[in-house]
Amino acid sequence: MGNQWRADGSGWDWNPKKEYILKAVADSLRRLQTDYIDLYQLHGGTIEDSIDDVIEAFEKLVEQGKIRHYGISSIRPNVIREYVSKSNITSVMMQYSILDRRPEESCFKLLEENNIGVLARGGLARGILVDKPVTHYLNHTYQEVKKVKKAIFELTKNEKSAEQIALQFVLNPTVISSAVVGIRTLDQLNQALEAIQTPASVDEIQNLQSIIPLNYYELHR
């Protein structure tokens, strides 16, 4: 929630206003034919938003019983800090993978200290860690990404798939509540289930962490 479809169908506009949030929840409840939503998230947001109004809308919805919990989807440290200090969010969805370890710098610690779970998306790095061609990713060069894929390939000799290795890395931090994975086939579902059932070893995690430098957020600090 947060992106509002234009009336003329030409695209989306960002709308974090209280009135729109309340209407969007009402519309979702009607479409879903249910009385409440377990977790409702603001998908995006900047430090320029009226964060107090967003929180007020969410708290009203909780009070009314229309949602049970709320959270945000954001990679911006400054936005995350604001919601942690001012609201009762229970979750933050953010990008995290072997190639994108930016949340480790400050966000993971802050969220864990405040008992806020992370829903990790992008764990396969657009498929680059699995079956898509090697290319540069964020600030990582082609050669760095190639080194990571080579290390994953070596680990597949231990009867694990590349999907399992990548997702086990994502699920390793204790602050991670779940990994949000796009699944289109039964095989992909089975790979995801295997990743949950077989945690990565300490050596595997440390090996993957050591291949390329840790990256950091440069904006929205």
Side-chain angles (χ1 to χ4, degrees):
M1 182 277 305
N3 291 305
Q4 184 176 22
W5 187 249
R6 296 173 191 152
D8 63 4
S10 62
W12 299 91
D13 289 317
W14 174 243
N15 186 355
K17 294 180 180 178
K18 178 180 177 180
E19 295 76 14
Y20 176 62
I21 295 173
L22 298 177
K23 180 181 183 301
V25 170
D27 291 343
S28 293
L29 291 173
R30 185 183 67 255
R31 289 192 298 267
L32 294 169
Q33 299 182 19
T34 186
D35 297 325
Y36 66 88
I37 297 170
D38 288 306
L39 175 64
Y40 205 73
Q41 293 193 136
L42 180 76
H43 285 278
T46 70
I47 201 67
E48 286 77 29
D49 293 339
S50 180
I51 292 175
D52 289 340
D53 284 350
V54 174
I55 296 170
E56 186 177 332
F58 278 138
E59 290 292 341
K60 182 176 182 178
L61 290 165
V62 171
E63 183 180 342
Q64 293 174 339
K66 294 181 179 179
I67 64 174
R68 291 189 170 180
H69 306 279
Y70 64 91
I72 62 172
S73 176
S74 179
I75 62 171
R76 298 175 170 92
N78 56 358
V79 172
I80 292 170
R81 285 195 299 271
E82 283 293 297
Y83 277 95
V84 170
S85 66
K86 292 182 174 182
S87 76
N88 295 305
I89 59 170
T90 59
S91 65
V92 175
M93 180 182 288
M94 61 174 59
Q95 188 169 303
Y96 181 63
S97 70
I98 300 171
L99 294 176
D100 186 358
R101 294 170 57 201
R102 293 174 295 174
E104 292 182 17
E105 180 194 2
S106 61
C107 293
F108 277 4
K109 181 180 179 182
L110 174 66
L111 295 172
E112 189 158 32
E113 287 174 347
N114 287 274
N115 197 32
I116 298 169
V118 172
L119 310 180
R121 63 179 178 83
L124 303 181
R126 300 199 302 264
I128 295 173
L129 296 175
V130 183
D131 55 3
K132 297 293 176 63
V134 172
T135 183
H136 67 87
Y137 190 84
L138 297 176
N139 63 308
H140 295 306
T141 65
Y142 173 92
Q143 291 300 327
E144 288 176 328
V145 175
K146 186 175 180 180
K147 286 171 63 177
V148 171
K149 286 202 74 168
K150 181 180 178 181
I152 290 175
F153 175 76
E154 289 297 321
L155 289 174
T156 60
K157 296 178 181 178
N158 298 330
E159 299 184 350
K160 290 184 180 182
S161 69
E163 290 91 340
Q164 291 171 19
I165 294 164
L167 292 177
Q168 285 169 6
F169 181 92
V170 169
L171 293 168
N172 183 66
T174 54
V175 71
I176 300 289
S177 297
S178 64
V180 180
V181 185
I183 293 175
R184 295 188 300 274
T185 68
L186 181 60
D187 181 62
Q188 290 173 341
L189 174 61
N190 289 330
Q191 296 291 348
L193 292 174
E194 284 290 331
I196 296 172
Q197 296 168 3
T198 311
S201 69
V202 174
D203 287 343
E204 287 173 337
I205 294 296
Q206 290 179 344
N207 177 42
L208 293 170
Q209 289 175 333
S210 67
I211 299 169
I212 54 178
L214 181 67
N215 43 2
Y216 301 92
Y217 290 112
E218 296 179 359
L219 302 174
H220 313 294
R221 299 187 63 85

